[in-house]
Each structure stands twice: as structure tokens, then as C-alpha cells.
Amino acid sequence: MSEKKCPLNRDQLEALIKKYPTPFHLYDEAAIRANARALKAAFAWNLGFKEYFAVKATPNPYLMKVLKAEGFGADCSSLPELMLAESVGLSGKEIIFTSNDTPADEYVKAAKLGAIINLDDITHIDFLEQCAGLPEMVCCRYNPGPLKGGNAIIGHPEEAKYGFTRPQLFEGYRILRDKGVKRFGLHTMVASNELDANYFIETAHILFDLVGELSAELGIQFEFVNIGGGIGIPYKPEHKAVDLKVVGEGVRKLYKEKIEKAGLGRLDVRLECGRMVTGPYGWLVSRVLHKKNTYKQYVGLDACMANLMRPALYGAYHHITVPGKETLPHDFVCDVTGSLCENNDKFAINRALPPVEIGDLVVIHDAGAHGHAMGFNYNGKLRSAELLLRENGEVVQIRRAETVQDYFATLDFAGLNKFKV
Ligand SMILES: *Cc1c(COP(=O)(O)O)cnc(C)c1O
């Protein structure tokens, strides 16, 4: 069971809303820090353990600064994400650049920052060499194909566009070695939102075995393996969070056997999780604008899928509570909707809630990752603000809400006036 609780109660939220109108995303710094420490503790046995926060999950530099203070690096896959990492003072090997179908200017920027470049394909060796030169250290992304079962969000590895095949991996590291690359990492990412701890232990197993085989065949030494992100979070109250201690301990046992006993030297374990780092510690706070009773009961919010797309995109479950009504009977079955002209703009379908009234606050849980970040402007909808509850109880705005001016910023209305039809 996972408890679904917002750190602010109804009165505290109402006080906050006087300054920052709904809808907004609220993040909890203390909870994010405590979770970051638990992750580090689970891997404390590994000398060079590092988590590279997957910036795409919540690309806000204020949160990245908090995570940097906890010792996390950044996993970037685009130019703006690299620039965000740079803006919080991350540099060099604190950044891993795990991109695919990569434009040259992004490799150039990653190389300038001294980031670890994680190649997605064997042809990118030449591409990188031509656009930025080969750095001293290179990582390659492995796609195990049919050797590993995938899961629902990421799909089967052999259907996934990412990474090198196994033979390409041997060939790729051989080419890199012969071109003078001296330092190596190995990466894979085969799951998303996975709640089974064993999945990550198995992934480490695959990578440890591969490190042994690649080292033996090519005479190269690996500095790290990156077992990717994808640790899931309990979106439903009946789900159980991944026990990080079990993952850390399982990987430690394998490390002893596959790396230490095999005399493979020091090997750092790396992760690049996004969802589990901020997901459970972010809430979308909204207010009920309308109630409607037609063929079904509808509760219409002032938030829409521009603020949180996951339910519309994947039919994802997000728990919903009505502050102040948590203990009332949940016998009002309704669809909770946004205002987009898309019938899938629903935060919940046939959800049992307490009796909801116009003006009630509604809190949508587990919106701290892949939430605000996925927002879009379709239908002229504007993205909401992001607020951070600091450890001292203060709330700071870490991104303002979009305005109509932001929406029109890419249009030239002066040009329009001169545009004759
Ligand atoms: C999306 C992504 C992540 C983060 O995934 P989570 O499910 O948020 O942990 C990590 N690495 C890569 C390469 C990704 O594409």
C-alpha cells in the first residue's frame, strides 16, 4: 500500500492559492531529498555510485539544483536539457548525454561540457568523430533485443529504436579502442515504470556479464555500467513502491560474484532515474469549475491535459483526492475532465470520489515526473506554474504560469498587418 497524501491541507492550499491561482504543480523538497538519500544509501557499497537525474522527467533547474546538492548528476538527451544542466553548475562527468537520432550541434555541446557521451548506434561513432571528435571516454547503449522481456510503456526491446545489438557492441567498442578511446562505460535501459525490483537486478546481471565478455575479448577496462532509469512508482494506492534496499543489495551480490571475484577491477554503478526521483513528490492542484450530469456525471477542472497528459496519453491512473473531504464516503462516480476539445482529456474515468461541489479543490497525485514536462499548447491551452514547498515550509514559485503573450511569442503580428491577401 502507498499512502496518497498532499503535504498541504485544504486551508494551507487555499492560503497559497491567494498568491498563486490554480492550477499549479506543487513539489515537496524535503520528501525529494529524503528519497534521494534513500537511493544513495541503497548503493553506498559502490564507491562511485551516481544517479543521473533524467532531466526530461521534470526539467526545472530549481529541482535540478536541489538534486545536485544531494549529489545527483543529470541525464540529458537534448540541447536545452544540456543547457539546463549547465545552468545549475553541472559539468563534465556529472552529465551523461543519452540521446538518439542525435543532431550534430547536440554532440558538439555535450562534448564542450565534457559530458559522458552515450552512443545510441554504431554509426554514431563516425558521426561523433566528425562533428565533435572522439572524447577520451565513451559509453555505448546496449539493446538486448529478445534476450530481455520489456514492459508495457517501453515495449519489447527488439521493437525499440534504441541501442546497439550485441554483435554491434563488440564491433563498436573494438572500433572505439582502435581509434584511441581509453575509458569506457556500458549502458542499457529496457524498462519504464517497472515496480519489480528483480527487473533491475537482472539488468545489472546482463551488464556485468557483458562487461566481463567485452573486457576479455577486447582487452579494455570498463569504468561504469549504467543500468538506466525506469524504476516505477506506486500510482495506485494498492501498488507497492520498489524497495530500493532490495535493488541495491541484489546488485551488490552480483557485483561481488561477477566483478570482484572475476578480478575486473573497480566498476561504478550508475542509474538515470527520473520518475522515482520526483514523481511521488509532485501534485497537480486544481479547482472544480463545473459539474455536469448527462449520460454520465462529469466534474470539470480548471486544469486540463496540457498540465498532465499521462491519463489521456496512456490511460494512466493518477490518484485524486478532494482536500477536506478525504474521510467522506467515496460514492460519487464521475469522470474528471479538463477543458480541451478532445474527449480523452479526462484525468479519471468512472472514479469514485466523495461528493464533489463546484469550488472544491482537487489534488491529482504523483504528478511530479512526466507531468508538467509533457505539457503542450494544443487548443491554446497554457501550461501551469510550478511551486516548491521548501524544507522550512516556505513555498516558492519555480516556474510561472504561461501567459497568452508566451503563446503568441512565436507569431509576428506586425508582419501579419503587412501581409496582404
Ligand atoms: C526517459 C528516460 C529515463 C528516465 O526514465 P524514468 O522512467 O523517468 O526513470 C532514463 N534514461 C533514458 C535514456 C530515458 O529515455
Side-chain angles (χ1 to χ4, degrees), residues 21 25 70 89 110 113 128 184-185 193 228 233 256 261 267 270 289 292 300-301 311 415:
H25 282 76
E70 293 296 336
L113 289 172
L128 173 63
F184 299 94
N193 196 25
I233 61 171
K256 271 211 149 355
K261 280 202 190 133
L267 184 72
R270 306 278 166 82
L289 266 188
K292 147 166 195 168
L301 305 186

Side-chain angles (χ1 to χ4, degrees), residues 8 10-22 24 26 285 387 389 394-396:
L8 300 182
R10 181 181 53 187
D11 292 347
Q12 290 166 319
L13 286 171
E14 288 291 5
L16 184 60
I17 288 161
K18 292 205 168 75
K19 193 160 173 199
Y20 303 112
T22 54
F24 54 76
L26 174 71
V285 180
L387 310 180
L389 173 62
E394 185 194 352
V395 176
V396 294

Side-chain angles (χ1 to χ4, degrees), residues 54 56-57 75 98 141 189 192-193 229-231 272-275 370:
K56 78 165 191 269
D75 167 36
T98 301
R141 180 173 186 163
M189 160 112 185
S192 186
N193 196 25
I231 294 182
E272 53 183 29
C273 288
R275 190 186 312 273
H370 309 292

Side-chain angles (χ1 to χ4, degrees), residues 44 49 57 72 87 199 210 225 240 281 305 317 398:
F49 172 76
F72 285 12
S87 77
Y199 203 91
L210 250 178
V225 292
K240 242 187 111 220
Y281 317 110
M305 65 186 285
Y317 180 96
I398 57 173

Side-chain angles (χ1 to χ4, degrees), residues 40 43-52 71 73 93-94 116 223-226 255 266-271:
K40 280 189 299 181
F43 285 91
W45 56 267
N46 186 261
L47 213 54
F49 172 76
K50 200 170 182 71
E51 148 73 12
Y52 292 81
K93 306 297 175 261
E94 295 173 314
I116 300 169
E223 286 188 26
F224 70 86
V225 292
N226 181 337
Y255 187 92
R266 171 177 158 176
L267 184 72
D268 296 339
V269 174
R270 306 278 166 82
L271 283 174

Side-chain angles (χ1 to χ4, degrees), residues 2 54 80 97 119 124 165 208 224 229 251 269 281 287 318 321 363:
S2 63
F97 184 57
L119 296 176
H124 288 207
T165 65
F208 289 164
F224 70 86
V251 176
V269 174
Y281 317 110
R287 202 185 282 286
H318 278 262
T321 54
V363 171

